[in-house]
Coordinates of all heavy atoms in Angstrom, one line a residue:
G18 N -40.5 151.3 3.1 CA -40.1 152.3 2.0 C -39.9 153.7 2.5 O -39.7 154.6 1.7
K19 N -39.8 153.9 3.8 CA -39.5 155.2 4.3 C -38.1 155.7 4.0 O -37.2 154.9 4.2 CB -39.8 155.3 5.8 CG -39.6 156.6 6.4 CD -40.3 156.8 7.7 CE -39.8 158.2 8.2 NZ -40.7 159.0 8.9
D20 N -38.0 156.9 3.6 CA -36.7 157.5 3.3 C -36.0 158.0 4.5 O -36.7 158.5 5.4 CB -37.0 158.7 2.3 CG -35.7 159.3 1.8 OD1 -34.6 158.7 2.0 OD2 -35.8 160.3 1.1
L21 N -34.7 157.8 4.6 CA -33.9 158.2 5.8 C -33.3 159.6 5.6 O -32.3 159.9 6.3 CB -32.9 157.2 6.1 CG -33.3 155.7 6.4 CD1 -32.2 154.8 6.7 CD2 -34.4 155.7 7.5
A22 N -33.8 160.3 4.6 CA -33.1 161.6 4.2 C -33.0 162.6 5.4 O -32.1 163.4 5.4 CB -33.9 162.2 3.0
G23 N -34.0 162.6 6.3 CA -33.9 163.5 7.4 C -33.0 163.1 8.5 O -32.8 163.9 9.5
M24 N -32.3 162.0 8.4 CA -31.5 161.5 9.4 C -30.0 161.9 9.1 O -29.6 162.1 8.0 CB -31.5 159.9 9.4 CG -30.9 159.2 10.5 SD -31.2 157.4 10.4 CE -32.9 157.3 10.8
K25 N -29.2 162.1 10.2 CA -27.8 162.5 10.0 C -27.1 161.4 9.3 O -27.5 160.2 9.4 CB -27.2 162.7 11.4 CG -27.7 164.0 12.0 CD -26.9 164.2 13.3 CE -27.5 165.5 13.9 NZ -26.8 165.8 15.2
Q26 N -26.1 161.7 8.5 CA -25.4 160.8 7.6 C -24.9 159.6 8.3 O -25.1 158.5 7.8 CB -24.2 161.5 6.9 CG -23.5 160.6 5.9 CD -22.3 161.2 5.3 OE1 -21.9 162.4 5.6 NE2 -21.7 160.5 4.4
N27 N -24.2 159.7 9.5 CA -23.7 158.6 10.1 C -24.8 157.6 10.6 O -24.6 156.4 10.5 CB -22.8 159.0 11.3 CG -21.4 159.4 10.9 OD1 -20.8 158.8 10.1 ND2 -21.0 160.5 11.5
K28 N -25.8 158.1 11.1 CA -27.0 157.2 11.5 C -27.6 156.5 10.3 O -27.9 155.4 10.3 CB -28.0 158.0 12.3 CG -27.5 158.6 13.6 CD -27.0 157.4 14.5 CE -26.4 158.0 15.8 NZ -25.6 157.0 16.5
R29 N -27.7 157.3 9.2 CA -28.3 156.7 8.0 C -27.4 155.6 7.5 O -27.9 154.5 7.2 CB -28.4 157.8 6.9 CG -29.1 157.4 5.7 CD -29.5 158.5 4.8 NE -28.4 159.4 4.5 CZ -28.3 160.7 4.8 NH1 -29.3 161.3 5.5 NH2 -27.3 161.4 4.5
L30 N -26.1 155.8 7.5 CA -25.1 154.7 7.1 C -25.3 153.5 8.1 O -25.2 152.3 7.6 CB -23.7 155.2 7.1 CG -23.3 156.2 6.1 CD1 -22.0 156.8 6.3 CD2 -23.4 155.6 4.7
M31 N -25.4 153.8 9.3 CA -25.5 152.7 10.3 C -26.8 151.8 10.1 O -26.7 150.6 10.0 CB -25.5 153.2 11.7 CG -25.7 152.1 12.8 SD -25.8 152.7 14.5 CE -27.4 153.5 14.4
F32 N -27.9 152.5 9.9 CA -29.1 151.8 9.7 C -29.1 151.1 8.3 O -29.7 150.0 8.2 CB -30.3 152.7 9.8 CG -30.6 153.1 11.3 CD1 -30.6 154.4 11.7 CD2 -30.9 152.1 12.2 CE1 -30.8 154.7 13.0 CE2 -31.1 152.4 13.5 CZ -31.1 153.7 13.9
R33 N -28.5 151.6 7.3 CA -28.4 150.9 6.1 C -27.6 149.6 6.2 O -27.9 148.6 5.6 CB -27.8 151.8 5.0 CG -28.8 152.8 4.5 CD -28.2 153.7 3.4 NE -29.2 154.7 2.9 CZ -28.9 155.8 2.4 NH1 -27.6 156.1 2.2 NH2 -29.8 156.6 2.0
E34 N -26.5 149.7 7.0 CA -25.7 148.5 7.2 C -26.5 147.5 8.0 O -26.5 146.3 7.7 CB -24.4 148.9 8.0 CG -23.5 147.7 8.3 CD -23.0 146.9 7.1 OE1 -23.0 147.4 6.0 OE2 -22.6 145.7 7.4
I35 N -27.2 147.9 9.0 CA -28.1 147.0 9.8 C -29.1 146.3 8.9 O -29.3 145.1 8.9 CB -28.7 147.7 11.0 CG1 -27.7 148.1 12.0 CG2 -29.8 146.8 11.7 CD1 -28.1 149.1 13.1
F36 N -29.8 147.1 8.1 CA -30.8 146.7 7.1 C -30.2 145.6 6.2 O -30.8 144.6 6.0 CB -31.3 147.9 6.4 CG -32.4 147.6 5.4 CD1 -33.7 147.2 5.9 CD2 -32.3 147.8 4.1 CE1 -34.7 146.9 5.0 CE2 -33.3 147.5 3.2 CZ -34.6 147.1 3.7
R37 N -29.0 145.9 5.7 CA -28.3 145.0 4.8 C -28.1 143.6 5.4 O -28.4 142.6 4.9 CB -27.0 145.6 4.3 CG -26.3 144.8 3.2 CD -24.9 145.3 2.9 NE -24.0 145.2 4.0 CZ -23.4 144.0 4.4 NH1 -23.6 142.9 3.8 NH2 -22.5 144.0 5.4
R38 N -27.6 143.7 6.7 CA -27.3 142.4 7.4 C -28.6 141.7 7.8 O -28.6 140.5 7.8 CB -26.5 142.8 8.7 CG -25.1 143.2 8.4 CD -24.3 143.4 9.7 NE -23.1 144.0 9.5 CZ -22.1 144.0 10.4 NH1 -22.3 143.5 11.6 NH2 -21.0 144.7 10.1
V39 N -29.7 142.4 8.1 CA -30.9 141.8 8.4 C -31.4 141.0 7.2 O -31.9 139.9 7.3 CB -32.0 142.8 8.9 CG1 -33.4 142.2 8.9 CG2 -31.6 143.3 10.3
K40 N -31.4 141.7 6.0 CA -31.8 141.0 4.8 C -30.9 139.8 4.5 O -31.5 138.8 4.0 CB -31.7 142.0 3.6 CG -32.8 143.1 3.7 CD -33.0 144.0 2.6 CE -32.0 144.1 1.5 NZ -32.2 145.1 0.5
Q41 N -29.7 139.9 4.8 CA -28.8 138.7 4.6 C -29.2 137.5 5.5 O -29.3 136.4 5.1 CB -27.3 139.0 4.9 CG -26.6 139.6 3.8 CD -25.1 139.9 4.2 OE1 -24.8 140.0 5.4 NE2 -24.2 139.9 3.2
L42 N -29.5 137.8 6.8 CA -30.0 136.8 7.7 C -31.3 136.2 7.2 O -31.5 134.9 7.4 CB -30.2 137.4 9.1 CG -28.9 137.6 10.0 CD1 -29.4 138.1 11.4 CD2 -28.1 136.4 10.1
Q43 N -32.2 137.0 6.7 CA -33.5 136.5 6.3 C -33.3 135.4 5.1 O -34.2 134.6 4.9 CB -34.4 137.6 5.8 CG -34.9 138.4 6.9 CD -35.7 139.6 6.5 OE1 -35.4 140.3 5.5 NE2 -36.8 139.9 7.2
Q44 N -32.2 135.5 4.4 CA -32.0 134.6 3.3 C -31.5 133.2 3.8 O -31.5 132.2 3.1 CB -30.9 135.2 2.3 CG -31.3 136.5 1.8 CD -32.6 136.5 1.0 OE1 -32.8 135.6 0.2 NE2 -33.5 137.4 1.3
L45 N -31.0 133.1 5.0 CA -30.5 131.9 5.6 C -31.6 131.1 6.2 O -32.5 131.6 6.9 CB -29.5 132.2 6.7 CG -28.3 133.0 6.2 CD1 -27.4 133.4 7.4 CD2 -27.5 132.3 5.1
S46 N -31.6 129.8 5.9 CA -32.8 128.9 6.3 C -33.0 128.9 7.8 O -34.1 128.8 8.3 CB -32.5 127.5 5.8 OG -31.3 127.0 6.2
Q47 N -31.9 128.9 8.6 CA -32.1 128.8 10.1 C -32.8 130.1 10.6 O -33.2 130.1 11.8 CB -30.8 128.6 10.8 CG -29.8 129.7 10.8 CD -28.6 129.5 9.8 OE1 -28.9 129.0 8.7 NE2 -27.4 129.9 10.2
Y48 N -32.9 131.2 9.9 CA -33.5 132.4 10.4 C -34.9 132.7 9.7 O -35.5 133.7 9.9 CB -32.6 133.6 10.2 CG -31.3 133.5 11.0 CD1 -30.1 133.2 10.4 CD2 -31.3 133.7 12.3 CE1 -28.9 133.1 11.1 CE2 -30.2 133.6 13.1 CZ -29.0 133.3 12.4 OH -27.8 133.2 13.2
K49 N -35.4 131.8 8.9 CA -36.6 132.0 8.1 C -37.8 132.4 9.0 O -38.6 133.2 8.6 CB -36.9 130.8 7.3 CG -36.0 130.6 6.1 CD -36.4 131.5 5.0 CE -35.7 131.2 3.7 NZ -35.5 132.3 2.8
N50 N -37.9 131.7 10.2 CA -39.1 132.0 11.0 C -38.9 133.0 12.1 O -39.7 133.1 13.0 CB -39.5 130.6 11.6 CG -40.0 129.7 10.6 OD1 -40.6 130.0 9.6 ND2 -39.6 128.4 10.7
Y51 N -37.8 133.7 12.0 CA -37.5 134.7 13.0 C -38.3 136.0 12.7 O -38.5 136.4 11.6 CB -36.0 135.1 13.1 CG -35.1 134.1 13.8 CD1 -35.1 132.8 13.5 CD2 -34.3 134.6 14.9 CE1 -34.3 131.9 14.2 CE2 -33.5 133.7 15.6 CZ -33.5 132.4 15.2 OH -32.7 131.5 15.9
R52 N -38.7 136.7 13.8 CA -39.4 138.0 13.6 C -38.3 139.0 13.3 O -37.2 138.8 13.6 CB -40.1 138.4 14.9 CG -41.3 137.5 15.2 CD -42.1 138.0 16.4 NE -41.2 138.6 17.4 CZ -41.1 138.2 18.7 NH1 -41.9 137.3 19.2 NH2 -40.3 138.8 19.5
L53 N -38.8 140.1 12.7 CA -37.8 141.2 12.3 C -37.1 141.7 13.5 O -35.9 141.9 13.5 CB -38.6 142.3 11.6 CG -37.8 143.5 11.2 CD1 -36.7 143.1 10.1 CD2 -38.6 144.6 10.7
S54 N -37.8 141.9 14.7 CA -37.1 142.4 15.9 C -36.1 141.4 16.4 O -35.0 141.9 16.9 CB -38.2 142.7 17.0 OG -38.8 141.5 17.3
E55 N -36.3 140.1 16.2 CA -35.2 139.2 16.6 C -34.0 139.3 15.7 O -32.9 139.2 16.2 CB -35.8 137.8 16.6 CG -36.9 137.5 17.6 CD -37.6 136.2 17.4 OE1 -37.9 135.8 16.3 OE2 -37.9 135.5 18.5
L56 N -34.2 139.4 14.4 CA -33.1 139.5 13.5 C -32.3 140.8 13.7 O -31.1 140.8 13.7 CB -33.6 139.5 12.0 CG -34.3 138.2 11.6 CD1 -34.9 138.4 10.2 CD2 -33.3 137.1 11.6
V57 N -33.1 141.9 14.0 CA -32.4 143.2 14.3 C -31.5 143.0 15.6 O -30.4 143.5 15.6 CB -33.4 144.3 14.4 CG1 -32.8 145.6 15.0 CG2 -34.1 144.6 13.1

């Protein structure tokens, strides 16, 4: 729940896109048992 408000806009956008994709992978059955670092 940490806010990225202190981060520069481009980096914030990049991490939001990475976060979105990580969440998408977590929804797929083949990635259910992967650690967060592996998904990232």
Side-chain angles (χ1 to χ4, degrees):
K19 181 158 176 147
D20 187 10
L21 303 180
M24 192 178 284
K25 290 183 180 180
Q26 181 184 5
N27 280 319
K28 294 301 174 197
R29 188 169 49 246
L30 291 171
M31 179 183 71
F32 286 119
R33 284 183 181 155
E34 177 62 17
I35 293 168
F36 185 65
R37 185 187 69 75
R38 291 186 190 193
V39 166
K40 288 188 344 186
Q41 276 183 333
L42 283 182
Q43 287 176 321
Q44 302 303 312
L45 302 174
S46 59
Q47 70 258 39
Y48 296 106
K49 286 282 188 204
N50 296 321
Y51 279 58
R52 293 185 322 237
L53 181 62
S54 61
E55 293 171 319
L56 295 172
V57 169

